[in-house]
Amino acid sequence: MVEDLVQRFGRLDGLVNNASTFFATAMGRISGRDWDALVGSNFKAPLFLAQAAAPYLKVTRGAVVNVSDIHGSRPLAGFAVYCAAKAGLDGLTKALAIELAPEVRVNAVAPGPVEWPEDGTFDTQTRQEIINHTLLKRTGCSADIARSVLFLLAGAPYVTGQILAVDGGRSAHL
Ligand SMILES: NC(=O)c1ccc[n+]([C@@H]2O[C@H](COP(=O)([O-])OP(=O)(O)OC[C@H]3O[C@@H](n4cnc5c(N)ncnc54)[C@H](OP(=O)(O)O)[C@@H]3O)[C@@H](O)[C@H]2O)c1
């Protein structure tokens, strides 16, 4: 994918690892397939994409932004594999910041509640409880995340190895 992209555009300035699989994993019934899907998209792919992109990002002094989750550092009950995968991504963010310095900056955005899963994972009461637990008493929107990603990609030349929570203050008192 990275090779195709560089052939087409001639350069690479940034990598945003956003793609993710999200579903609950009940202890006692976690399968290898669950692990592969959750760890594959949330942890493994960002590493191998960053590795493939690194030589090109070094040339342009580009940046990597990983889209994590506040539950990477404060696990959500019932989602152990997803949370552990995001915790891995948080660790990877800091490790890659070291590995790719000084040419490439690596940071993460950790969203709180932004867009509810469409599969009914969170019922109305749970959604309200989560919103009540934010300091700003509302969900965020995708533009909140996009603005933060753009900031870390292009507007923060002296920031690397950081994880920015964009969560209406939910993680401040979880
Ligand atoms: N929504 C929230 O409130 C929230 C909260 C915290 C963190 N986040 C994080 O924010 C990011 C975006 O979340 P979202 O809510 O926008 O997710 P989403 O609507 O579920 O979209 C996920 C995207 O990832 C792609 N994807 C999943 N597995 C993939 C795979 N194996 N290979 C390639 N693409 C794959 C999906 O592609 P297909 O459509 O083709 O399957 C989809 O485009 C994620 O990293 C998520 O963990 C979101």
Side-chain angles (χ1 to χ4, degrees):
M1 191 167 90
V2 169
E3 297 300 328
D4 285 353
L5 197 143
V6 172
Q7 258 193 350
R8 184 162 171 207
F9 295 102
R11 59 183 288 158
L12 183 60
D13 296 278
L15 166 66
V16 180
N17 285 307
N18 178 66
S20 161
T21 312
F22 173 77
F23 55 86
T25 45
M27 276 305 286
R29 283 187 279 130
I30 297 172
S31 68
R33 184 182 282 226
D34 295 338
W35 171 272
D36 289 344
L38 289 163
V39 175
S41 61
N42 288 293
F43 185 27
K44 181 180 177 184
L47 166 62
F48 285 98
L49 278 165
Q51 182 170 261
Y56 303 105
L57 293 174
K58 283 188 177 183
V59 172
T60 57
R61 302 237 153 197
V64 177
V65 178
N66 294 321
V67 182
S68 185
D69 192 308
I70 54 167
H71 296 300
S73 54
R74 295 166 181 83
L76 179 65
F79 292 79
V81 182
Y82 170 81
C83 293
K86 289 297 198 189
L89 185 60
D90 289 350
L92 184 66
T93 299
K94 295 175 185 176
L96 287 179
I98 295 167
E99 297 297 326
L100 302 184
E103 297 95 338
V104 181
R105 296 177 303 103
V106 184
N107 293 289
V109 170
V114 177
E115 296 209 2
W116 304 111
E118 289 166 7
D119 62 4
T121 297
F122 300 113
D123 62 24
T124 309
Q125 187 190 336
T126 307
R127 291 180 184 195
Q128 199 51 56
E129 283 168 8
I130 291 171
I131 290 169
N132 290 346
H133 206 269
T134 65
L135 296 179
L136 301 184
K137 305 299 175 198
R138 58 181 173 83
T139 58
C141 63
S142 49
D144 292 319
I145 306 307
R147 272 192 290 266
S148 306
V149 169
L150 183 60
F151 166 68
L152 291 172
L153 263 186
Y158 200 49
V159 179
T160 194
Q162 302 303 309
I163 298 161
L164 174 63
V166 181
D167 66 345
R170 178 158 150 80
S171 61
H173 64 139
L174 261 182

